[in-house]
Amino acid sequence: MTSALAKDIKELVRSCSAKEAALLPALYLAQGKTGCLDDKALELVSDTLLIPRARVRGVASFYDMFRSGPMGRHIIRLCTNVVCMIMGAEKLADMLDRKYGVKPFETSPDSRFSLVIMECIGACGTAPAMLVNDDLHENLSEDRIVEILDNYK
Amino acid sequence: MEGYKKSGGYAALQKALGLKPAEVLDEVRKSGLRGRGGAGFPTGMKWTFASMDPRRPKYLLCNADEGEPGTFKDKPILEKDPHLLIEGMIISAYALQSEYGYIYLRGEYPSARTILEKAVLEAYASGYIGDNIMGKGFRFHLYIFFGAGAYICGEETALIESLEGKRPQPRIKPPFPVNEGFLSRPTVINNVETFANVPFILKEGAAAYLKIGSPDCPGPKLFSVSGHVKKPGVYELPMGITLREIIYDHCGGISGNGKLKAVIPGGLSTPVLPADKIDCPMDFVSMPRHGSMLGSGGVIVFDDSVDLVKVCLRAMAFFEHESCGKCTPCREGVGWLRSILKRLSEGGGNKGDIELLSEICNNILGKCFCALGDGAAMVTQGFIRHFRDEFEARVR
């Protein structure tokens, strides 16, 4: 698995116009394959791209969409920035805890969901909103969330 | 692609390639187009600086890191009209003689990524991007770069750092990206909406563009309106339209039973305006005279149910989280703004807290490498200026 990933990363560098621009896509590739950017994943990226460990870790730890620990099967990214907040996002976060056992930046005990609190996902006109994996869900209410999450087993 | 071409798409590119690059640049300069990311810098001037630098290759970057809270106006372009952006970029690249372009797309727009990737492939297949565009010997390659969740990457130099595989911390300016940008080469970076204005300018001409909007600030503007309005959404309206007209004539007025209390006019980094100050023309030149800024045109409408101290707190929590940490006044100062606002918000404010907030703001303003700290400070000052009594009510 690791050699397949290393191969994919090398292929990525070839298709990039500038090798410097390969680090972020390589991190995404590694996260996609291994589930999270733990030490082993970071080391593999570092060794394949010949970038120092510290620099890879420094870059990976900066971004909100890279995760360093294991996540649930589905990642809920709920926005609680100002517009979503005034449209009721905080109550939705409470409901996610009550009904699914998932607290902000934690994973539910059954490993079904992880909850990441987001800072504006650009859906303010249809707030409150969340991403579940790559799917955007808008105009949320407690009932809508139950309907939506039913599709994510 | 088919749909885009049916409504006249890529005709502007055809026209542009029949002109000299300098002529295309001149048309954009004459149009008076200003950057639509938030700073409103004259696009033609930026391009002129880049074209004066003889070094190659020149890079063209599209800032699609739309992260300013309250702003969602680039998203419809990216998802519903990607070829408008692509055509705009190719014309710009021709004017600048740039060979390589990147669209830096925020990680929070995964559906836009799929759509853009497909559109770029379509453009390659149609000969609009590649080594010999439309047989005119012009070479331009376009790549999509996916961000990973960091508001600061909307700042142009941080975006470049991110693209270079580093921790995205802003660089000091000068030097500006037009001289020292991506990999130290001349780089022009513009917002999605800015590029989207370019095909019209080439097809219909600068004179036609100048007929729209205000004299100092021509053209159409995309306003993203959210909050307590009946019809939130993205509206294309002429520059210079007033906030009152946007809210009442276009968005149906205040939703529910509330009354208008306050409006944030241009995204979360712009100072709040109270309900009696919404007769301001929304353009880059007029708004500073009315006590705020056009910014990204992200209009957030608050009715009288909203606790503005809590909003100010949430805004500072956002800026604190997104601060890259490089500059001490921002890294520490914004954090202090947040923690003081937290105790105020909970009704536990100390005597002198409001004065302390102002003092901290003064120690952030103008003292950092980028505008994040400035935005946070001006926003807090704006809330205190217009709604001081709400803060004073929270002091024990």
Side-chain angles (χ1 to χ4, degrees), chain A residues 17-18 20-21 23-24 28 55 58-59 61-65 80-81 83 86 90 118-122 124-125 134 136, chain B residues 69-70 72 75 102 106-110 143 145 147-149 162-165 167-168 226 232 310 314 318 321-322:
Chain A
S17 81
E20 291 84 351
L23 178 53
L24 240 62
Y28 263 118
R55 172 133 155 235
V59 170
S61 58
F62 191 94
Y63 295 94
D64 283 345
M65 298 187 74
T80 62
N81 202 299
V83 181
I86 65 171
E90 287 171 326
M118 297 299 279
E119 293 286 6
C120 192
I121 56 176
C124 325
D134 281 350
L136 177 66
Chain B
F72 47 98
K75 196 179 201 198
Y102 286 87
R106 66 182 312 218
E108 293 89 334
Y109 284 177
Y143 306 90
F145 187 90
S162 177
L163 202 51
E164 289 183 5
R167 262 172 93 90
S226 64
K310 189 170 177 211
R314 186 61 184 84
F318 164 72
H321 176 76
E322 300 293 345

Side-chain angles (χ1 to χ4, degrees), chain B residues 180-199:
Chain B
E180 296 285 328
F182 183 54
L183 304 176
S184 298
R185 291 289 190 281
T187 301
V188 165
I189 168 166
N190 278 123
N191 174 263
V192 171
E193 192 189 344
T194 311
F195 284 121
N197 275 268
V198 170

